[in-house]
Amino acid sequence: MSQTSSYTSDNARYEAYQFSDPFATASFVCCNKKLNKVCRPNCDHYPKVTSKEDVSFLFDANQAASIGFEPCEHCDPCNPNSQLDLPLIKITIESINYSIGFTNDANELKRRAFSVPSINTNNGHYDRQLTRNESEHIKLVELACRHIAAAAALSISKQSEESAQGGKKKRRGGVLGFKELASKSKLSPWHFHRVFKSVTGLTPKSYGDQCWKFIKDH
């Protein structure tokens, strides 16, 4: 598995593991010492350990298997063909976020994050810095966008396989609901739904529909 600059420290890898970050799927594997299992960081099949001492990280699932960790039967970390199509997922998110104005522009992020605009503005620019809580909300929404796009890509891929085998096509099966997204984001469902819509201008379902359409068209 190739290393990614975003996950170069154990703290970064642990955070990606805790939040099941889809972008980390090909960067490293997680060795659960309690269950003696090795999984991809975005796998939720087994409960996440809550102590850093109970999980270690390697860059090769086969190496983990060679030292006694059993590969997860759900995410199949030793199989390179079971990885997510990250380039497609990334371009999906970039395209949709650009279309709805959810960009990396600092002033735009502030405008979206502030529930009440600061009175200290300079030609429309917000002088107040984002609070830690506001920054965390934006970060969690960015992560949720990854989960939604990844779920749409997986669902479409599975439906294509089923269709090739003569199965019946379905519309959106597999795209995550906001309660599951809230759980991944460590927020209550109501709070997550409110934060997601305030930042993106869309409900999680509407965002998922756009991901679905974009991926189907590409």
Side-chain angles (χ1 to χ4, degrees), residues 136-197:
E136 284 299 312
H137 280 173
I138 289 174
K139 185 177 179 180
L140 289 175
V141 169
E142 289 175 339
L143 182 65
C145 291
R146 298 180 184 186
H147 283 299
I148 294 171
L154 281 174
S155 179
I156 290 170
S157 176
K158 289 180 180 179
Q159 289 186 21
S160 296
E161 293 175 2
E162 291 172 358
S163 178
Q165 297 171 1
K168 185 178 179 181
K169 291 184 178 180
K170 299 178 182 178
R171 169 66 178 88
R172 288 184 65 252
V175 176
L176 297 177
F178 78 91
K179 289 184 178 180
E180 187 174 354
L181 285 165
S183 176
K184 290 178 181 293
S185 301
K186 318 299 183 188
L187 297 174
S188 70
W190 178 86
H191 190 196
F192 169 78
H193 193 277
R194 183 180 67 83
V195 168
F196 189 92
K197 188 172 183 181

Coordinates of all heavy atoms in Angstrom, one line a residue, residues 136-197:
E136 N -13.8 22.5 13.7 CA -14.1 21.0 13.8 C -15.3 20.7 13.0 O -15.4 19.6 12.4 CB -14.2 20.7 15.3 CG -12.9 20.6 16.0 CD -12.0 19.5 15.4 OE1 -12.4 18.4 15.2 OE2 -10.8 19.8 15.2
H137 N -16.3 21.5 13.1 CA -17.5 21.3 12.3 C -17.3 21.2 10.8 O -17.8 20.3 10.1 CB -18.6 22.3 12.6 CG -19.3 22.1 13.9 ND1 -20.2 23.1 14.4 CD2 -19.3 21.1 14.8 CE1 -20.7 22.6 15.6 NE2 -20.1 21.5 15.8
I138 N -16.5 22.1 10.3 CA -16.1 22.1 8.9 C -15.4 20.8 8.6 O -15.6 20.2 7.5 CB -15.3 23.3 8.5 CG1 -16.3 24.6 8.5 CG2 -14.7 23.2 7.1 CD1 -15.6 25.9 8.3
K139 N -14.4 20.5 9.4 CA -13.7 19.2 9.2 C -14.5 18.0 9.2 O -14.4 17.1 8.4 CB -12.6 19.1 10.3 CG -11.6 18.0 10.2 CD -10.6 18.0 11.3 CE -9.6 16.9 11.2 NZ -8.6 16.9 12.3
L140 N -15.5 17.9 10.1 CA -16.4 16.8 10.2 C -17.3 16.7 8.9 O -17.6 15.6 8.4 CB -17.3 16.8 11.4 CG -16.5 16.6 12.7 CD1 -17.5 16.8 13.9 CD2 -16.0 15.2 12.8
V141 N -17.7 17.9 8.4 CA -18.5 17.9 7.2 C -17.7 17.4 6.0 O -18.2 16.7 5.2 CB -19.1 19.3 7.0 CG1 -19.8 19.4 5.6 CG2 -20.2 19.6 8.0
E142 N -16.5 17.9 5.9 CA -15.6 17.4 4.9 C -15.5 15.9 4.9 O -15.5 15.2 3.9 CB -14.2 18.1 5.0 CG -14.2 19.6 4.6 CD -12.9 20.2 4.9 OE1 -12.1 19.7 5.6 OE2 -12.6 21.3 4.3
L143 N -15.3 15.3 6.1 CA -15.2 13.9 6.3 C -16.5 13.2 5.9 O -16.5 12.2 5.2 CB -14.9 13.6 7.7 CG -14.7 12.1 8.1 CD1 -13.4 11.5 7.3 CD2 -14.5 11.9 9.6
A144 N -17.6 13.8 6.3 CA -18.9 13.2 5.9 C -19.1 13.2 4.4 O -19.7 12.2 3.8 CB -20.1 14.0 6.6
C145 N -18.6 14.2 3.7 CA -18.7 14.2 2.2 C -17.9 13.1 1.7 O -18.4 12.4 0.7 CB -18.1 15.6 1.7 SG -19.1 17.0 2.1
R146 N -16.8 12.7 2.3 CA -16.0 11.6 1.8 C -16.8 10.3 2.0 O -16.9 9.4 1.1 CB -14.7 11.5 2.6 CG -13.8 12.7 2.4 CD -12.5 12.5 3.2 NE -11.7 13.7 3.1 CZ -10.4 13.7 3.7 NH1 -9.9 12.7 4.3 NH2 -9.7 14.8 3.5
H147 N -17.5 10.2 3.2 CA -18.3 8.9 3.4 C -19.4 8.8 2.5 O -19.7 7.7 2.0 CB -18.8 9.0 4.9 CG -17.8 8.6 5.9 ND1 -17.1 7.4 5.9 CD2 -17.3 9.3 6.9 CE1 -16.3 7.4 6.9 NE2 -16.3 8.5 7.6
I148 N -20.1 9.9 2.2 CA -21.3 9.9 1.3 C -20.8 9.5 -0.1 O -21.5 8.6 -0.8 CB -22.0 11.3 1.3 CG1 -22.6 11.5 2.7 CG2 -23.1 11.3 0.2 CD1 -23.1 13.0 2.8
A149 N -19.8 10.1 -0.6 CA -19.3 9.8 -2.0 C -18.8 8.4 -2.1 O -19.1 7.7 -3.1 CB -18.2 10.8 -2.4
A150 N -18.1 7.9 -1.0 CA -17.6 6.6 -1.0 C -18.7 5.6 -1.0 O -18.7 4.5 -1.8 CB -16.7 6.3 0.2
A151 N -19.8 5.8 -0.3 CA -20.9 4.9 -0.2 C -21.6 4.9 -1.5 O -22.1 3.8 -2.0 CB -21.9 5.4 0.9
A152 N -21.8 6.0 -2.2 CA -22.4 6.1 -3.5 C -21.6 5.3 -4.5 O -22.2 4.5 -5.3 CB -22.6 7.5 -4.0
A153 N -20.3 5.4 -4.5 CA -19.4 4.7 -5.4 C -19.5 3.2 -5.2 O -19.6 2.4 -6.2 CB -18.0 5.2 -5.3
L154 N -19.5 2.8 -4.0 CA -19.6 1.4 -3.7 C -20.9 0.8 -4.1 O -21.0 -0.3 -4.6 CB -19.4 1.1 -2.2 CG -17.9 1.1 -1.7 CD1 -17.9 1.1 -0.1 CD2 -17.1 0.0 -2.3
S155 N -22.0 1.5 -3.8 CA -23.3 1.1 -4.1 C -23.5 0.9 -5.7 O -24.0 -0.1 -6.1 CB -24.4 2.1 -3.6 OG -25.7 1.7 -4.0
I156 N -23.0 1.9 -6.4 CA -23.1 1.8 -7.9 C -22.3 0.7 -8.4 O -22.7 -0.1 -9.3 CB -22.7 3.2 -8.5 CG1 -23.7 4.2 -8.2 CG2 -22.5 3.0 -10.0 CD1 -23.3 5.6 -8.5
S157 N -21.1 0.5 -7.8 CA -20.2 -0.6 -8.2 C -20.9 -2.0 -8.0 O -20.9 -2.9 -8.9 CB -18.9 -0.6 -7.5 OG -18.1 -1.7 -7.8
K158 N -21.5 -2.1 -6.8 CA -22.2 -3.4 -6.5 C -23.4 -3.6 -7.4 O -23.7 -4.7 -7.9 CB -22.6 -3.4 -5.0 CG -21.5 -3.5 -4.1 CD -22.0 -3.5 -2.6 CE -20.8 -3.6 -1.6 NZ -21.3 -3.6 -0.2
Q159 N -24.1 -2.5 -7.7 CA -25.3 -2.7 -8.6 C -24.9 -3.0 -10.0 O -25.6 -3.8 -10.7 CB -26.1 -1.4 -8.6 CG -26.8 -1.2 -7.2 CD -27.8 0.0 -7.3 OE1 -28.2 0.5 -8.3 NE2 -28.1 0.5 -6.1
S160 N -23.7 -2.5 -10.4 CA -23.2 -2.9 -11.8 C -22.9 -4.3 -11.8 O -23.2 -5.0 -12.8 CB -22.0 -2.0 -12.1 OG -22.3 -0.7 -12.2
E161 N -22.3 -4.9 -10.8 CA -22.0 -6.3 -10.7 C -23.3 -7.1 -10.7 O -23.4 -8.1 -11.4 CB -21.2 -6.6 -9.5 CG -19.8 -6.0 -9.5 CD -19.0 -6.2 -8.2 OE1 -19.6 -6.9 -7.3 OE2 -17.9 -5.7 -8.0
E162 N -24.2 -6.7 -9.9 CA -25.5 -7.4 -9.8 C -26.2 -7.4 -11.2 O -26.9 -8.4 -11.6 CB -26.4 -6.9 -8.7 CG -25.8 -7.1 -7.3 CD -26.6 -6.4 -6.3 OE1 -27.6 -5.7 -6.6 OE2 -26.3 -6.5 -5.1
S163 N -26.2 -6.2 -11.8 CA -26.8 -6.1 -13.1 C -26.2 -7.0 -14.2 O -26.9 -7.6 -15.0 CB -26.7 -4.6 -13.6 OG -27.3 -4.5 -14.9
A164 N -24.9 -7.1 -14.1 CA -24.1 -8.0 -15.0 C -24.5 -9.5 -14.8 O -24.4 -10.3 -15.7 CB -22.6 -7.8 -14.9
Q165 N -24.9 -9.8 -13.6 CA -25.3 -11.1 -13.2 C -26.8 -11.3 -13.4 O -27.4 -12.4 -13.0 CB -24.9 -11.5 -11.8 CG -23.4 -11.4 -11.6 CD -23.0 -11.5 -10.2 OE1 -23.8 -11.7 -9.3 NE2 -21.7 -11.5 -9.9
G166 N -27.5 -10.3 -13.9 CA -28.9 -10.5 -14.2 C -29.8 -10.0 -13.0 O -31.0 -10.2 -13.0
G167 N -29.2 -9.3 -12.0 CA -29.9 -8.8 -10.9 C -30.7 -7.5 -11.3 O -30.5 -6.9 -12.3
K168 N -31.7 -7.2 -10.4 CA -32.5 -6.0 -10.6 C -31.8 -4.8 -10.2 O -31.2 -4.7 -9.1 CB -33.8 -6.2 -9.9 CG -34.8 -5.1 -10.2 CD -36.2 -5.3 -9.5 CE -37.2 -4.2 -9.7 NZ -38.4 -4.5 -9.0
K169 N -31.8 -3.7 -11.0 CA -31.2 -2.4 -10.6 C -32.0 -1.7 -9.5 O -33.2 -1.8 -9.5 CB -31.1 -1.5 -11.8 CG -30.1 -2.0 -12.9 CD -30.0 -1.0 -14.0 CE -29.0 -1.4 -15.0 NZ -28.8 -0.4 -16.1
K170 N -31.3 -1.1 -8.6 CA -31.9 -0.3 -7.6 C -31.5 1.2 -7.7 O -30.5 1.5 -8.3 CB -31.6 -0.8 -6.2 CG -32.0 -2.3 -6.0 CD -31.5 -2.8 -4.6 CE -31.9 -4.2 -4.4 NZ -31.5 -4.7 -3.1
R171 N -32.2 2.1 -7.1 CA -32.0 3.5 -7.2 C -30.8 4.0 -6.4 O -29.8 4.5 -6.9 CB -33.2 4.3 -6.9 CG -33.0 5.8 -6.8 CD -32.6 6.4 -8.1 NE -32.5 7.9 -8.0 CZ -31.4 8.5 -7.6 NH1 -30.3 7.8 -7.3 NH2 -31.3 9.8 -7.5
R172 N -30.9 3.9 -5.1 CA -29.9 4.5 -4.2 C -29.4 3.6 -3.1 O -28.8 4.0 -2.1 CB -30.4 5.8 -3.6 CG -30.6 6.9 -4.5 CD -31.0 8.2 -3.8 NE -30.0 8.6 -2.8 CZ -30.1 8.5 -1.5 NH1 -31.1 8.0 -0.9 NH2 -29.1 9.0 -0.7
G173 N -29.7 2.3 -3.1 CA -29.3 1.4 -2.0 C -27.9 1.5 -1.7 O -27.0 1.5 -2.5
G174 N -27.6 1.7 -0.4 CA -26.2 1.7 0.0 C -25.7 3.1 0.3 O -24.7 3.3 1.0
V175 N -26.4 4.2 -0.1 CA -25.9 5.5 0.2 C -26.3 5.8 1.7 O -27.4 5.5 2.1 CB -26.6 6.6 -0.7 CG1 -26.2 8.0 -0.3 CG2 -26.1 6.3 -2.2
L176 N -25.4 6.3 2.4 CA -25.5 6.4 3.9 C -26.6 7.3 4.3 O -26.8 8.4 3.7 CB -24.2 6.8 4.5 CG -23.0 5.9 4.3 CD1 -21.8 6.5 5.0 CD2 -23.3 4.5 5.0
G177 N -27.4 6.9 5.3 CA -28.3 7.8 5.9 C -27.6 8.7 6.9 O -26.5 8.5 7.4
F178 N -28.3 9.8 7.3 CA -27.7 10.8 8.2 C -27.4 10.3 9.6 O -26.5 10.7 10.3 CB -28.5 12.1 8.2 CG -29.7 12.1 9.1 CD1 -29.6 12.5 10.5 CD2 -30.9 11.7 8.6 CE1 -30.7 12.5 11.3 CE2 -32.0 11.8 9.5 CZ -31.9 12.1 10.8
K179 N -28.2 9.3 10.1 CA -27.9 8.7 11.4 C -26.6 7.9 11.4 O -25.8 8.0 12.4 CB -29.1 7.8 11.8 CG -30.3 8.5 12.1 CD -31.4 7.6 12.6 CE -32.7 8.4 13.0 NZ -33.8 7.5 13.5
E180 N -26.3 7.2 10.3 CA -25.0 6.5 10.3 C -23.9 7.5 10.1 O -22.8 7.3 10.7 CB -25.1 5.5 9.1 CG -23.8 4.6 9.0 CD -23.9 3.5 8.0 OE1 -25.0 3.4 7.4 OE2 -22.9 2.8 7.8
L181 N -24.1 8.5 9.3 CA -23.1 9.5 9.1 C -22.8 10.2 10.4 O -21.7 10.6 10.8 CB -23.6 10.6 8.1 CG -23.5 10.1 6.6 CD1 -24.3 11.0 5.7 CD2 -22.0 10.1 6.1
A182 N -23.9 10.5 11.2 CA -23.7 11.2 12.5 C -22.9 10.3 13.4 O -22.0 10.8 14.1 CB -25.1 11.4 13.1
S183 N -23.1 9.0 13.4 CA -22.3 8.1 14.2 C -20.8 8.1 13.8 O -20.0 8.1 14.7 CB -22.9 6.7 14.1 OG -22.1 5.7 14.8
K184 N -20.6 8.2 12.5 CA -19.2 8.2 12.1 C -18.5 9.5 12.5 O -17.3 9.6 12.7 CB -19.1 8.0 10.5 CG -19.5 6.7 10.1 CD -19.4 6.6 8.5 CE -19.8 5.2 8.0 NZ -18.8 4.2 8.3
S185 N -19.3 10.6 12.6 CA -18.8 11.9 12.9 C -18.8 12.2 14.4 O -18.4 13.2 14.8 CB -19.7 13.0 12.2 OG -19.7 12.8 10.8
K186 N -19.3 11.2 15.2 CA -19.3 11.3 16.6 C -20.2 12.5 17.1 O -19.9 13.1 18.1 CB -17.9 11.6 17.2 CG -16.8 10.7 16.6 CD -17.0 9.2 16.8 CE -15.8 8.5 16.2 NZ -16.0 7.0 16.2
L187 N -21.3 12.7 16.4 CA -22.3 13.7 16.7 C -23.6 13.1 16.9 O -23.9 12.0 16.3 CB -22.3 14.8 15.7 CG -21.1 15.7 15.5 CD1 -21.3 16.6 14.3 CD2 -20.7 16.5 16.7
S188 N -24.6 13.7 17.5 CA -25.9 13.2 17.6 C -26.5 13.4 16.2 O -26.1 14.3 15.4 CB -26.8 14.0 18.6 OG -27.0 15.4 18.1
P189 N -27.5 12.6 15.8 CA -28.1 12.8 14.4 C -28.6 14.2 14.2 O -28.4 14.7 13.1 CB -29.2 11.7 14.4 CG -28.7 10.7 15.4 CD -28.0 11.4 16.5
W190 N -29.4 14.7 15.1 CA -29.9 16.0 14.9 C -28.9 17.1 14.8 O -28.9 17.9 13.9 CB -30.8 16.4 16.1 CG -31.4 17.8 16.0 CD1 -32.6 18.1 15.4 CD2 -30.8 19.0 16.5 NE1 -32.8 19.5 15.4 CE2 -31.7 20.1 16.1 CE3 -29.7 19.3 17.2 CZ2 -31.5 21.4 16.5 CZ3 -29.4 20.7 17.6 CH2 -30.3 21.7 17.2
H191 N -27.8 17.0 15.6 CA -26.7 18.0 15.5 C -26.0 17.9 14.2 O -25.7 18.9 13.5 CB -25.8 17.8 16.7 CG -24.8 18.9 16.9 ND1 -23.7 18.8 17.6 CD2 -24.7 20.2 16.3 CE1 -23.0 19.9 17.6 NE2 -23.6 20.8 16.8
F192 N -25.7 16.6 13.8 CA -25.0 16.4 12.6 C -25.8 17.0 11.4 O -25.2 17.6 10.5 CB -24.7 14.9 12.3 CG -24.2 14.6 11.0 CD1 -22.9 14.9 10.6 CD2 -25.1 14.1 10.0 CE1 -22.5 14.6 9.3 CE2 -24.7 13.9 8.7 CZ -23.3 14.1 8.4
H193 N -27.1 16.7 11.3 CA -27.9 17.1 10.2 C -27.9 18.6 10.1 O -27.8 19.2 9.0 CB -29.3 16.6 10.4 CG -30.2 16.7 9.2 ND1 -30.8 17.9 8.8 CD2 -30.5 15.8 8.2 CE1 -31.5 17.7 7.7 NE2 -31.3 16.5 7.3
R194 N -28.0 19.3 11.3 CA -28.0 20.8 11.3 C -26.7 21.3 10.8 O -26.6 22.3 10.0 CB -28.3 21.3 12.7 CG -28.5 22.8 12.8 CD -28.8 23.2 14.2 NE -27.7 22.9 15.1 CZ -26.6 23.7 15.3 NH1 -26.5 24.8 14.6 NH2 -25.7 23.4 16.1
V195 N -25.6 20.8 11.3 CA -24.3 21.2 11.0 C -24.0 21.0 9.5 O -23.5 21.9 8.8 CB -23.2 20.5 11.8 CG1 -21.8 20.8 11.3 CG2 -23.2 21.0 13.3
F196 N -24.3 19.8 9.0 CA -24.1 19.5 7.6 C -24.8 20.5 6.7 O -24.2 21.0 5.7 CB -24.5 18.1 7.3 CG -24.0 17.6 5.9 CD1 -22.8 17.0 5.7 CD2 -24.8 17.8 4.8 CE1 -22.4 16.5 4.5 CE2 -24.4 17.4 3.5 CZ -23.2 16.8 3.4
K197 N -26.1 20.7 7.0 CA -26.8 21.6 6.1 C -26.4 23.0 6.2 O -26.4 23.8 5.2 CB -28.3 21.5 6.4 CG -29.2 22.3 5.4 CD -30.7 22.0 5.6 CE -31.5 22.7 4.6 NZ -33.0 22.5 4.8

